[in-house]
Amino acid sequence: MLARIRTAVTLAGRPADAVQLLAVSKTFPAADIAELYAHGQRDFGENYVQELAGKAEMLANLPELRWHFIGPLQSNKTRIVAETASWVHAIDRLKIAERLSSQRPEHLPPLQVCLQVNVSGETSKSGVTPEGLGELAQAVAALPRLKLRGLMCIPEATNDQTWLSEQFRQLRQLQQALNTQGLQLDTLSMGMSGDLESAITEGATLVRIGTALFGTRTISNQAQGTT
Ligand SMILES: *Cc1c(COP(=O)(O)O)cnc(C)c1O
């Protein structure tokens, strides 16, 4: 996996350390996470709050492990995330950000956050619209216990390479526009197992990889993951 990322980074003409790997461990058991940790991986992504809480408890003995919450977050579940995660990637409403900020424990560093942007325009997709992004970004950046790091997207699944690249490029252009307006966003969370090369070409700084690392998610490991 690291070789695949390295190759894409080199082909894109970017520095060797430009892209970070987030291992998306949802539905896979804690033992799989511990194994990757033993090989040096430190950042792991989860989509479901209960699953995150369970694994965080089981793996509390791994001191350098950082949890990234990458799924949609409901307001009644923000507390566990505020107390457990280092990063949250899919914020698209101010109310969720406000709750995370007020619930972030004082003894922990600020929660690192990305705003999810709906770059495909699909009505079924979560994410703030490109038009609504500026206002949300300024409001989130002002919250005391959050640190706004960047933007995240899940593009429309497509075989059209041009359309795929355009969606990633739009996220980068939105980041640049916000930085021109005084924000300092250094993170573009984009690219998954099927499209990481395209995302890296367009400027991803963090790719979220599940299947290509852990294997296919099946019904049985999903059941395991959610208990
Ligand atoms: C599951 C998931 C991933 C990982 O997807 P793969 O195709 O398995 O690499 C990345 N990002 C989000 C938001 C996810 O839900």
Side-chain angles (χ1 to χ4, degrees), residues 5-15 19 197-203:
I5 292 174
R6 260 198 305 275
T7 301
V9 169
T10 305
L11 286 174
R14 300 179 56 200
V19 181
E197 283 81 7
S198 174
I200 288 174
T201 301
E202 298 302 334

Side-chain angles (χ1 to χ4, degrees), residues 24 26 47 70-71 152 154 191-194 208-212 217:
V24 177
K26 65 181 177 206
N47 283 56
I70 62 173
M152 175 269 204
I154 305 174
M192 315 200 300
S193 295
R208 309 180 308 268
I209 307 299
T211 313
R217 290 181 290 275

Side-chain angles (χ1 to χ4, degrees), residues 133-147:
L133 175 64
E135 190 181 337
L136 179 63
Q138 295 294 345
V140 170
L143 293 171
R145 299 291 293 139
L146 302 188
K147 170 110 180 104

Side-chain angles (χ1 to χ4, degrees), residues 45-156:
E46 292 287 340
N47 283 56
Y48 309 101
V49 174
Q50 287 314 319
E51 187 179 348
L52 168 69
K55 288 179 182 172
E57 199 176 313
M58 273 185 276
L59 296 170
N61 60 323
L62 304 180
E64 293 171 15
L65 193 159
R66 287 180 293 267
W67 292 111
H68 296 235
F69 190 76
I70 62 173
L73 186 53
Q74 291 162 355
S75 58
N76 62 348
K77 299 213 174 127
T78 51
R79 183 174 294 281
I80 298 176
V81 173
E83 293 175 353
T84 310
S86 298
W87 283 71
V88 177
H89 287 240
I91 292 177
D92 62 3
R93 283 186 293 151
L94 183 57
K95 181 182 170 194
I96 298 293
E98 286 172 340
R99 288 179 65 90
L100 289 169
S101 181
S102 67
Q103 293 168 344
R104 181 67 168 173
E106 280 304 323
H107 70 276
L108 294 177
L111 190 59
Q112 312 292 300
V113 302
C114 292
L115 304 179
Q116 182 176 359
V117 183
N118 183 347
V119 290
S120 68
E122 296 163 280
T123 49
S124 60
K125 272 277 161 66
S126 27
V128 62
T129 61
E131 297 73 35
L133 175 64
E135 190 181 337
L136 179 63
Q138 295 294 345
V140 170
L143 293 171
R145 299 291 293 139
L146 302 188
K147 170 110 180 104
L148 180 59
R149 293 293 297 273
L151 305 178
M152 175 269 204
C153 73
I154 305 174
E156 180 176 6

